[in-house]
Amino acid sequence: MTRFGYFLASEEHGPKELVRQARAAEEAGFDALWISDHYHPWLDSQGQSSFVWSVVGAIGQVTSLPVTTAVTCPTTRIHPAVVAQAAATAAAMTDAGFVLGVGTGEALNEHILGDPWPHAARRLAMLEESIEVMRRLWEGGTVSHRGEFYTVDTARLYTLPEEPPKVYVSAFGPKATALAARVADGLVQVSPAPDTIADFREQGGRGPVQGGLKVCWAADEGEAVRTAYERWPTEALVGEASQLLPSPRHFEQLTSGLVTPEMVAEQVPCGPDPEEHVAAFEPYLEAGADEVYVCQVGDDQDGFFDFYAREVLPRLRASGS
């Protein structure tokens, strides 16, 4: 059976509100949680970006749902030895389980220390080495490591969960998919990508496939479209801009010149029609996703949770997904 989860947007909501939403998601009947890990929001209109590890710890105290970071970049802004400690503590504080979702990151978040933003092949190599470092630390012994990208000197994690965190890798192209198939415990997707999922499986990829999407529920469809366009015009962008632009103002400049409300509405289901919301999950299910996480755009989270509890989750589960 498919697991349906809620996607907490750190870019849109402050930490206390994210914790409240996590509890509300469980009450509404969701099975699990995703949470984004950012230093900056994509746009100033989103307005938030709290430190994810503090929030995950708090969520672990108010819900019994498993939590996945979607996704953390353990390579540039934070050394993997520190991410390993953060993830181990998060796993110790979430009784239902914690998954460290990882990816190669975006310049938007990772450029802040002034280091050059690596090219894609180098970022993949850095990610592979970072996963090796973290897994060694989760074994509980003293670790020294002299690698191509990272040095660890006699480090040991003393606070560990009963089981090491699972590591799921976000992959978009064939090289990243091959890495995920080789080293990951699962695959993360932010669009329905049947070819990527098939490649992951064919190359020996194991574990669940997670997918995520955004919707904007509102009683009025026009209001929902306006909200989605204000908060997430980046949903209509394609290509590598998401990985390369370093500042929210650059995304604002790009989307204001290229993206229309109609384009966003094509990507983000908007309004009160439950069948339209259910239909948004179908490409993920057909592609082979085992877990699908939905993010409500905007501030009417309570209306969204009530709508999904009454109209959408029962339909999804009745379909036998």
Side-chain angles (χ1 to χ4, degrees):
M1 293 290 288
T2 306
R3 188 154 69 169
F4 298 104
Y6 186 67
F7 186 178
L8 297 156
S10 299
E11 305 93 319
E12 274 198 83
H13 306 287
K16 291 183 179 180
E17 172 61 14
L18 291 170
V19 174
R20 189 193 74 82
Q21 289 177 23
R23 188 168 57 246
E26 183 172 27
E27 293 170 352
F30 285 97
D31 303 314
L33 298 167
W34 258 16
I35 185 166
S36 54
D37 179 1
H38 271 244
Y39 195 91
H40 294 138
W42 297 98
L43 300 163
D44 285 347
S45 60
Q46 293 171 345
Q48 294 286 339
S49 201
S50 52
F51 189 57
V52 72
W53 302 108
S54 303
V55 181
V56 170
I59 288 171
Q61 304 310 294
V62 301
T63 80
S64 60
L65 298 181
V67 182
T68 300
T69 54
V71 292
T72 292
C73 178
T75 64
T76 307
R77 171 170 43 104
I78 305 179
H79 192 285
V82 179
V83 177
Q85 184 187 29
T89 300
M93 296 186 71
T94 48
D95 292 338
F98 173 79
V99 172
L100 179 62
V102 298
T104 58
E106 303 96 9
L108 175 72
N109 299 304
E110 309 307 324
H111 81 280
I112 61 168
L113 301 181
D115 299 310
W117 183 233
H119 57 76
R122 186 177 179 87
R123 296 201 306 271
L124 278 173
M126 294 172 73
L127 180 62
E128 183 167 10
E129 186 177 329
S130 75
I131 293 171
E132 177 191 350
V133 167
M134 292 188 294
R135 284 182 167 149
R136 287 182 62 192
L137 284 162
W138 292 332
E139 292 174 359
T142 299
V143 174
S144 291
H145 174 87
R146 300 288 187 276
E148 182 179 358
F149 305 109
Y150 303 109
T151 297
V152 179
D153 183 15
T154 57
R156 178 183 172 187
L157 295 181
Y158 282 82
T159 298
L160 290 165
E162 293 184 5
E163 298 289 336
K166 300 292 187 183
V167 178
Y168 292 7
V169 171
S170 173
F172 302 99
K175 294 180 180 179
T177 304
L179 174 64
R182 188 168 66 252
V183 306
D185 300 306
L187 179 70
V188 174
Q189 298 283 277
V190 291
S191 63
D195 291 343
T196 298
I197 295 172
D199 288 346
F200 174 72
R201 297 298 190 201
E202 288 169 4
Q203 295 181 68
R206 62 191 186 277
V209 174
Q210 297 182 335
L213 71 151
K214 293 181 178 66
V215 303
C216 188
W217 175 86
D220 177 76
E221 181 179 353
E223 176 189 348
V225 171
R226 288 189 293 273
T227 299
Y229 178 66
E230 175 193 353
R231 297 290 181 89
W232 289 94
T234 51
E235 287 297 292
L237 294 178
V238 296
E240 297 181 56
S242 301
Q243 297 175 338
L244 301 178
L245 297 180
S247 171
R249 66 185 174 87
H250 296 130
F251 284 95
E252 183 176 352
Q253 292 165 2
L254 183 61
T255 55
S256 65
L258 295 176
V259 177
T260 66
E262 292 75 19
M263 292 168 64
V264 175
E266 289 178 1
Q267 301 299 320
V268 179
C270 293
D273 183 352
E275 296 301 335
E276 184 175 351
H277 285 257
V278 170
F281 286 77
E282 291 175 358
Y284 291 85
L285 303 177
E286 292 171 357
D290 303 292
E291 306 174 17
V292 186
Y293 294 79
V294 58
C295 176
Q296 161 69 359
V297 174
D299 298 324
D300 193 355
Q301 303 296 318
D302 292 335
F304 163 86
F305 285 127
D306 178 68
F307 171 67
Y308 263 63
R310 289 185 298 101
E311 302 287 352
V312 179
L313 291 177
R315 282 176 164 85
L316 288 169
R317 291 180 174 127
S319 69
S321 300

